[in-house]
PDB file of all heavy atoms in Angstrom:
ATOM      1  N   LEU A 298       6.141   5.704 -15.966  1.00 98.00           N
ATOM      2  CA  LEU A 298       5.738   4.798 -16.986  1.00 98.00           C
ATOM      3  C   LEU A 298       4.401   4.137 -16.689  1.00 98.00           C
ATOM      4  O   LEU A 298       3.546   3.914 -17.537  1.00 98.00           O
ATOM      5  CB  LEU A 298       6.831   3.744 -17.213  1.00 98.00           C
ATOM      6  CG  LEU A 298       8.157   4.212 -17.749  1.00 98.00           C
ATOM      7  CD1 LEU A 298       9.183   3.094 -17.764  1.00 98.00           C
ATOM      8  CD2 LEU A 298       7.963   4.746 -19.180  1.00 98.00           C
ATOM      9  N   PHE A 299       4.209   3.838 -15.372  1.00 98.00           N
ATOM     10  CA  PHE A 299       2.889   3.287 -14.971  1.00 98.00           C
ATOM     11  C   PHE A 299       1.778   4.233 -15.292  1.00 98.00           C
ATOM     12  O   PHE A 299       0.692   3.879 -15.723  1.00 98.00           O
ATOM     13  CB  PHE A 299       2.964   2.913 -13.518  1.00 98.00           C
ATOM     14  CG  PHE A 299       1.866   2.056 -12.982  1.00 98.00           C
ATOM     15  CD1 PHE A 299       1.988   0.676 -13.136  1.00 98.00           C
ATOM     16  CD2 PHE A 299       0.804   2.569 -12.388  1.00 98.00           C
ATOM     17  CE1 PHE A 299       0.959  -0.194 -12.669  1.00 98.00           C
ATOM     18  CE2 PHE A 299      -0.254   1.744 -11.925  1.00 98.00           C
ATOM     19  CZ  PHE A 299      -0.133   0.401 -12.072  1.00 98.00           C
ATOM     20  N   ALA A 300       2.001   5.519 -15.020  1.00 98.00           N
ATOM     21  CA  ALA A 300       0.978   6.593 -15.251  1.00 98.00           C
ATOM     22  C   ALA A 300       0.729   6.760 -16.744  1.00 98.00           C
ATOM     23  O   ALA A 300      -0.382   7.082 -17.158  1.00 98.00           O
ATOM     24  CB  ALA A 300       1.366   7.927 -14.586  1.00 98.00           C
ATOM     25  N   LEU A 301       1.758   6.629 -17.529  1.00 97.00           N
ATOM     26  CA  LEU A 301       1.556   6.765 -18.978  1.00 97.00           C
ATOM     27  C   LEU A 301       0.686   5.664 -19.588  1.00 97.00           C
ATOM     28  O   LEU A 301       0.058   5.823 -20.629  1.00 97.00           O
ATOM     29  CB  LEU A 301       2.958   6.690 -19.711  1.00 97.00           C
ATOM     30  CG  LEU A 301       3.845   7.923 -19.542  1.00 97.00           C
ATOM     31  CD1 LEU A 301       5.216   7.681 -20.169  1.00 97.00           C
ATOM     32  CD2 LEU A 301       3.138   9.208 -20.081  1.00 97.00           C
ATOM     33  N   ALA A 302       0.599   4.534 -18.855  1.00 97.00           N
ATOM     34  CA  ALA A 302      -0.246   3.441 -19.277  1.00 97.00           C
ATOM     35  C   ALA A 302      -1.582   3.405 -18.513  1.00 97.00           C
ATOM     36  O   ALA A 302      -2.281   2.424 -18.461  1.00 97.00           O
ATOM     37  CB  ALA A 302       0.455   2.106 -19.054  1.00 97.00           C
ATOM     38  N   ALA A 303      -1.968   4.586 -17.947  1.00 97.00           N
ATOM     39  CA  ALA A 303      -3.134   4.639 -17.111  1.00 97.00           C
ATOM     40  C   ALA A 303      -4.407   4.435 -17.882  1.00 97.00           C
ATOM     41  O   ALA A 303      -5.432   4.010 -17.367  1.00 97.00           O
ATOM     42  CB  ALA A 303      -3.235   6.013 -16.412  1.00 97.00           C
ATOM     43  N   PHE A 304      -4.440   4.641 -19.220  1.00 97.00           N
ATOM     44  CA  PHE A 304      -5.638   4.521 -19.996  1.00 97.00           C
ATOM     45  C   PHE A 304      -5.899   2.980 -20.310  1.00 97.00           C
ATOM     46  O   PHE A 304      -7.018   2.700 -20.813  1.00 97.00           O
ATOM     47  CB  PHE A 304      -5.477   5.293 -21.282  1.00 97.00           C
ATOM     48  CG  PHE A 304      -4.385   4.765 -22.181  1.00 97.00           C
ATOM     49  CD1 PHE A 304      -4.628   3.858 -23.201  1.00 97.00           C
ATOM     50  CD2 PHE A 304      -3.062   5.208 -21.980  1.00 97.00           C
ATOM     51  CE1 PHE A 304      -3.617   3.406 -24.044  1.00 97.00           C
ATOM     52  CE2 PHE A 304      -2.028   4.794 -22.803  1.00 97.00           C
ATOM     53  CZ  PHE A 304      -2.316   3.846 -23.788  1.00 97.00           C
ATOM     54  N   LEU A 305      -5.037   2.178 -19.980  1.00 97.00           N
ATOM     55  CA  LEU A 305      -5.163   0.733 -20.271  1.00 97.00           C
ATOM     56  C   LEU A 305      -5.785  -0.025 -19.060  1.00 97.00           C
ATOM     57  O   LEU A 305      -5.598   0.465 -17.923  1.00 97.00           O
ATOM     58  CB  LEU A 305      -3.846   0.118 -20.612  1.00 97.00           C
ATOM     59  CG  LEU A 305      -3.149   0.613 -21.833  1.00 97.00           C
ATOM     60  CD1 LEU A 305      -1.733   0.001 -21.905  1.00 97.00           C
ATOM     61  CD2 LEU A 305      -3.967   0.289 -23.106  1.00 97.00           C
ATOM     62  N   ALA A 306      -6.400  -1.133 -19.344  1.00 97.00           N
ATOM     63  CA  ALA A 306      -6.855  -1.978 -18.197  1.00 97.00           C
ATOM     64  C   ALA A 306      -5.627  -2.658 -17.612  1.00 97.00           C
ATOM     65  O   ALA A 306      -4.519  -2.719 -18.219  1.00 97.00           O
ATOM     66  CB  ALA A 306      -7.799  -3.038 -18.775  1.00 97.00           C
ATOM     67  N   VAL A 307      -5.782  -3.255 -16.482  1.00 97.00           N
ATOM     68  CA  VAL A 307      -4.632  -3.731 -15.740  1.00 97.00           C
ATOM     69  C   VAL A 307      -3.865  -4.775 -16.454  1.00 97.00           C
ATOM     70  O   VAL A 307      -2.584  -4.766 -16.446  1.00 97.00           O
ATOM     71  CB  VAL A 307      -5.059  -4.295 -14.302  1.00 97.00           C
ATOM     72  CG1 VAL A 307      -5.998  -5.471 -14.474  1.00 97.00           C
ATOM     73  CG2 VAL A 307      -3.869  -4.598 -13.479  1.00 97.00           C
ATOM     74  N   THR A 308      -4.486  -5.670 -17.154  1.00 97.00           N
ATOM     75  CA  THR A 308      -3.754  -6.707 -17.874  1.00 97.00           C
ATOM     76  C   THR A 308      -2.933  -6.160 -18.986  1.00 97.00           C
ATOM     77  O   THR A 308      -1.746  -6.474 -19.163  1.00 97.00           O
ATOM     78  CB  THR A 308      -4.724  -7.867 -18.413  1.00 97.00           C
ATOM     79  OG1 THR A 308      -5.466  -8.364 -17.340  1.00 97.00           O
ATOM     80  CG2 THR A 308      -3.984  -8.953 -19.120  1.00 97.00           C
ATOM     81  N   SER A 309      -3.515  -5.305 -19.787  1.00 97.00           N
ATOM     82  CA  SER A 309      -2.843  -4.662 -20.878  1.00 97.00           C
ATOM     83  C   SER A 309      -1.716  -3.799 -20.402  1.00 97.00           C
ATOM     84  O   SER A 309      -0.588  -3.783 -20.961  1.00 97.00           O
ATOM     85  CB  SER A 309      -3.736  -3.852 -21.733  1.00 97.00           C
ATOM     86  OG  SER A 309      -4.841  -4.637 -22.320  1.00 97.00           O
ATOM     87  N   ARG A 310      -1.963  -3.096 -19.261  1.00 98.00           N
ATOM     88  CA  ARG A 310      -0.899  -2.238 -18.679  1.00 98.00           C
ATOM     89  C   ARG A 310       0.322  -3.071 -18.212  1.00 98.00           C
ATOM     90  O   ARG A 310       1.410  -2.711 -18.566  1.00 98.00           O
ATOM     91  CB  ARG A 310      -1.485  -1.455 -17.524  1.00 98.00           C
ATOM     92  CG  ARG A 310      -0.642  -0.389 -16.936  1.00 98.00           C
ATOM     93  CD  ARG A 310      -1.207   0.180 -15.659  1.00 98.00           C
ATOM     94  NE  ARG A 310      -2.646   0.477 -15.832  1.00 98.00           N
ATOM     95  CZ  ARG A 310      -3.608   0.112 -15.022  1.00 98.00           C
ATOM     96  NH1 ARG A 310      -3.237  -0.550 -13.912  1.00 98.00           N
ATOM     97  NH2 ARG A 310      -4.793   0.406 -15.268  1.00 98.00           N
ATOM     98  N   ALA A 311       0.008  -4.164 -17.563  1.00 98.00           N
ATOM     99  CA  ALA A 311       1.101  -5.023 -17.090  1.00 98.00           C
ATOM    100  C   ALA A 311       1.904  -5.591 -18.269  1.00 98.00           C
ATOM    101  O   ALA A 311       3.149  -5.707 -18.251  1.00 98.00           O
ATOM    102  CB  ALA A 311       0.592  -6.169 -16.194  1.00 98.00           C
ATOM    103  N   LEU A 312       1.206  -6.019 -19.338  1.00 98.00           N
ATOM    104  CA  LEU A 312       1.837  -6.560 -20.470  1.00 98.00           C
ATOM    105  C   LEU A 312       2.713  -5.575 -21.156  1.00 98.00           C
ATOM    106  O   LEU A 312       3.882  -5.889 -21.543  1.00 98.00           O
ATOM    107  CB  LEU A 312       0.770  -7.086 -21.488  1.00 98.00           C
ATOM    108  CG  LEU A 312       0.152  -8.487 -21.149  1.00 98.00           C
ATOM    109  CD1 LEU A 312      -0.976  -8.789 -22.108  1.00 98.00           C
ATOM    110  CD2 LEU A 312       1.201  -9.578 -21.221  1.00 98.00           C
ATOM    111  N   VAL A 313       2.271  -4.325 -21.359  1.00 98.00           N
ATOM    112  CA  VAL A 313       2.975  -3.292 -22.070  1.00 98.00           C
ATOM    113  C   VAL A 313       4.253  -2.987 -21.290  1.00 98.00           C
ATOM    114  O   VAL A 313       5.343  -2.892 -21.841  1.00 98.00           O
ATOM    115  CB  VAL A 313       2.119  -2.054 -22.271  1.00 98.00           C
ATOM    116  CG1 VAL A 313       2.973  -0.856 -22.659  1.00 98.00           C
ATOM    117  CG2 VAL A 313       1.020  -2.323 -23.310  1.00 98.00           C
ATOM    118  N   LEU A 314       4.156  -2.799 -19.989  1.00 98.00           N
ATOM    119  CA  LEU A 314       5.287  -2.455 -19.174  1.00 98.00           C
ATOM    120  C   LEU A 314       6.268  -3.622 -19.080  1.00 98.00           C
ATOM    121  O   LEU A 314       7.481  -3.400 -19.025  1.00 98.00           O
ATOM    122  CB  LEU A 314       4.852  -2.039 -17.736  1.00 98.00           C
ATOM    123  CG  LEU A 314       4.061  -0.682 -17.709  1.00 98.00           C
ATOM    124  CD1 LEU A 314       3.677  -0.359 -16.310  1.00 98.00           C
ATOM    125  CD2 LEU A 314       4.931   0.442 -18.267  1.00 98.00           C
ATOM    126  N   THR A 315       5.787  -4.827 -19.048  1.00 98.00           N
ATOM    127  CA  THR A 315       6.633  -5.985 -19.048  1.00 98.00           C
ATOM    128  C   THR A 315       7.490  -6.067 -20.324  1.00 98.00           C
ATOM    129  O   THR A 315       8.727  -6.229 -20.273  1.00 98.00           O
ATOM    130  CB  THR A 315       5.817  -7.274 -18.908  1.00 98.00           C
ATOM    131  OG1 THR A 315       5.077  -7.300 -17.680  1.00 98.00           O
ATOM    132  CG2 THR A 315       6.728  -8.495 -18.943  1.00 98.00           C
ATOM    133  N   VAL A 316       6.860  -5.855 -21.470  1.00 98.00           N
ATOM    134  CA  VAL A 316       7.573  -5.872 -22.744  1.00 98.00           C
ATOM    135  C   VAL A 316       8.580  -4.781 -22.761  1.00 98.00           C
ATOM    136  O   VAL A 316       9.760  -4.978 -23.207  1.00 98.00           O
ATOM    137  CB  VAL A 316       6.618  -5.749 -23.908  1.00 98.00           C
ATOM    138  CG1 VAL A 316       7.384  -5.525 -25.240  1.00 98.00           C
ATOM    139  CG2 VAL A 316       5.718  -6.948 -24.017  1.00 98.00           C
ATOM    140  N   PHE A 317       8.244  -3.603 -22.247  1.00 98.00           N
ATOM    141  CA  PHE A 317       9.167  -2.479 -22.320  1.00 98.00           C
ATOM    142  C   PHE A 317      10.443  -2.730 -21.407  1.00 98.00           C
ATOM    143  O   PHE A 317      11.558  -2.536 -21.865  1.00 98.00           O
ATOM    144  CB  PHE A 317       8.451  -1.215 -21.831  1.00 98.00           C
ATOM    145  CG  PHE A 317       9.350   0.022 -21.735  1.00 98.00           C
ATOM    146  CD1 PHE A 317       9.674   0.752 -22.883  1.00 98.00           C
ATOM    147  CD2 PHE A 317       9.903   0.383 -20.514  1.00 98.00           C
ATOM    148  CE1 PHE A 317      10.486   1.877 -22.829  1.00 98.00           C
ATOM    149  CE2 PHE A 317      10.751   1.482 -20.406  1.00 98.00           C
ATOM    150  CZ  PHE A 317      11.072   2.217 -21.572  1.00 98.00           C
TER     151      PHE A 317
END
Side-chain angles (χ1 to χ4, degrees):
L298 292 175
F299 194 83
L301 289 175
F304 63 95
L305 298 172
V307 63
T308 303
S309 300
R310 188 186 315 131
L312 282 172
V313 167
L314 292 180
T315 298
V316 170
F317 176 81

